[in-house]
Amino acid sequence: MNINNLSRKNIQVLTPYQSARRLGGKGDIWLNANEYPISPNFDLTDRTFNRYPEPQPQAVVERYAAYAGVSSDNVLVSRGGDESIELIIRAFCEADDAVLYCPPTYGMYAVSAEACGIACKTVPLTADFQLNLAEIERQLDGVKVVFVCSPNNPTGNLIKRSDLLELLQMTAGRAIVVVDEAYIEFCPEATMMTALANYPHLAIIRTLSKAFALAGLRCGFTLANAELIQVLQKVIAPYPLPVPVSDIAAQALQPQGLTQMQYSVAELLANRADLQKNLENLPLVEQVYPSEANYLLVKFKDGQKVFSSLWQKGIILRDQHKAPGLQNSIRVTIGTALENQRVIEAISEIN
Ligand SMILES: *Cc1c(COP(=O)(O)O)cnc(C)c1O
């Protein structure tokens, strides 16, 4: 008997998340993981390494709460937004419950559910990448957690606020609604934060990995009413955040760090507008979808050809051709102005 056969059945059949890093590639322009293109600079201020860290580092929690406009008991800090996804599934789903999500969307909802042995129901987004509320309502039996990503990865659009509110009404007392706001700093006015007051079953996921340019830190947040946060506190690891992580996160959330983040966002949005315009002028491009985030979804005449020819040139993008409805589409993270220019040149050279 081999070791794989000893593992749980759902793990034997599990396809791990195809993260950008796992997919590999040899490049000098990495535009496949929605990372910020330049690293911020921090020095460690806390050098106490012999002690266990604070379970929920107070400075990080308080500063994030102030930034988000909630109180500290509405915040849970975790190892990236990804850990929040898993905590919610582990805390709320019984073995025979299901989660529901709306593809094309972020891959970790399915991977986390499958790793926990929880069934997935899918209700595809409509042709304009919005929720199919009628179908979601029909599928809701046995569903304990509904994941909605807004702005949605990889399509880039916002889910309509009125639809999210209708979803919250529909699920009240039955299921948790997770609104994944990993990219919300690129369109801060769209946050669902204001709905927290009315919906105890709403959980909002945030991260320092995107606009804060700190993907290497592994620091994310769940925002929700205190009762929901307390449930998650029961299942999170005792010391989830290493001392250096919370040290740097606390610095990034100081006023100066927030100003830096907002400046970075403004610059990125200007670069996104340029890249969008330049892509639209290329004959191989069929459509550039509107985006509220730090990436563009682009439909080409022959997406595979564009993807592999840029890959050969060391420009690594994120192929989306296997995602439902996204044939010939590629997701391009916004890079520096120079990197974006290289993308345009490389596509122009394809004949
Ligand atoms: C990047 C991302 C996350 C979380 O990333 P972490 O690095 O784990 O914080 C969550 N949801 C979506 C849609 C993302 O793109």
Side-chain angles (χ1 to χ4, degrees):
M1 181 177 231
N2 65 28
I3 294 298
N4 191 46
N5 289 342
L6 286 177
S7 68
R8 290 161 60 203
K9 301 237 167 10
N10 57 304
I11 302 300
Q12 291 180 30
V13 301
L14 178 69
T15 312
Y17 181 65
Q18 297 299 304
S19 69
R21 285 291 168 276
R22 204 190 281 259
L23 288 168
K26 258 173 71 185
D28 45 11
I29 298 190
W30 293 91
L31 301 177
N32 62 345
N34 295 344
E35 296 150 331
Y36 195 78
I38 303 160
S39 178
N41 218 336
F42 290 105
D43 291 317
L44 289 184
T45 58
D46 183 350
R47 294 176 178 279
T48 309
F49 300 132
N50 61 317
R51 302 290 175 194
Y52 284 108
E54 294 174 90
Q56 285 289 295
Q58 194 182 355
V60 178
V61 169
E62 282 177 358
R63 286 172 197 174
Y64 201 85
Y67 159 67
V70 293
S71 68
S72 294
D73 59 2
N74 300 126
V75 177
L76 183 83
V77 53
S78 58
R79 288 169 292 192
D82 283 347
E83 186 178 29
S84 172
I85 295 168
E86 194 191 291
L87 291 174
I88 293 168
I89 294 171
R90 277 172 44 211
F92 286 97
C93 291
E94 304 278 3
D96 54 357
D97 287 333
V99 305
L100 187 152
Y101 60 91
C102 304
T105 191
Y106 189 47
M108 279 305 291
Y109 313 137
V111 170
S112 280
E114 283 163 16
C116 294
I118 301 300
C120 294
K121 289 190 178 185
T122 57
V123 176
L125 294 173
T126 60
D128 58 350
F129 301 143
Q130 293 295 327
L131 299 180
N132 182 342
L133 284 169
E135 188 57 26
I136 290 174
E137 189 158 32
R138 273 193 288 277
Q139 297 288 331
L140 219 47
D141 258 0
V143 169
K144 207 46 139 349
V145 181
V146 179
F147 289 100
V148 181
C149 187
S150 181
N152 186 42
N153 179 4
T155 56
N157 62 293
L158 288 168
I159 304 301
K160 285 184 205 146
R161 175 180 299 270
S162 55
D163 283 0
L164 288 171
L165 292 172
E166 205 173 313
L167 177 66
L168 283 162
Q169 304 275 8
M170 180 194 295
T171 50
R174 302 176 64 178
I176 304 300
V177 173
V178 178
V179 178
D180 187 339
E181 295 190 342
Y183 299 95
I184 202 67
E185 287 82 9
F186 300 102
C187 49
E189 64 293 340
T191 180
M192 291 300 289
M193 288 295 302
T194 51
L196 281 178
N198 297 321
Y199 299 101
H201 61 304
L202 169 62
I204 295 175
I205 293 180
R206 298 285 190 85
T207 180
L208 298 187
S209 296
K210 308 291 161 54
F212 284 90
L214 290 169
L217 209 56
R218 311 307 302 125
C219 185
F221 301 88
T222 312
L223 305 174
N225 283 281
E227 196 181 346
L228 199 161
I229 295 294
Q230 280 157 22
V231 171
L232 300 182
Q233 297 269 23
K234 291 185 180 177
V235 297
I236 196 167
Y239 307 107
L241 294 183
V243 165
V245 173
S246 55
D247 183 6
I248 292 171
Q251 294 179 52
L253 292 167
Q254 277 179 326
Q256 191 196 346
L258 296 176
T259 306
Q260 175 61 43
M261 180 275 286
Q262 279 150 358
Y263 174 83
S264 304
V265 165
E267 186 172 21
L268 187 134
L269 295 183
N271 287 338
R272 184 182 73 196
D274 288 344
L275 180 63
Q276 167 137 19
K277 185 175 59 147
N278 293 334
L279 282 166
E280 280 164 354
N281 286 332
L282 296 176
L284 292 184
V285 170
E286 206 140 85
Q287 185 177 2
V288 184
Y289 294 92
S291 171
E292 302 289 341
N294 66 340
Y295 49 88
L296 289 169
L297 183 68
V298 189
K299 188 171 187 184
F300 292 92
K301 299 214 165 82
D302 184 346
Q304 296 294 91
K305 186 172 172 186
V306 172
F307 179 79
S308 59
S309 92
L310 268 64
W311 174 283
Q312 302 293 332
K313 294 176 186 170
I315 302 175
I316 312 300
L317 309 177
R318 187 75 150 151
D319 194 0
Q320 295 291 339
H321 79 281
K322 283 188 189 144
L326 300 188
Q327 293 77 16
N328 287 313
S329 298
I330 298 176
R331 193 192 67 192
V332 186
T333 303
I334 311 302
T336 62
L338 195 66
E339 289 172 328
N340 300 338
Q341 190 51 42
R342 290 270 305 276
V343 169
I344 296 296
E345 284 161 14
I347 299 173
S348 314
E349 287 162 8
I350 302 171
N351 39 43

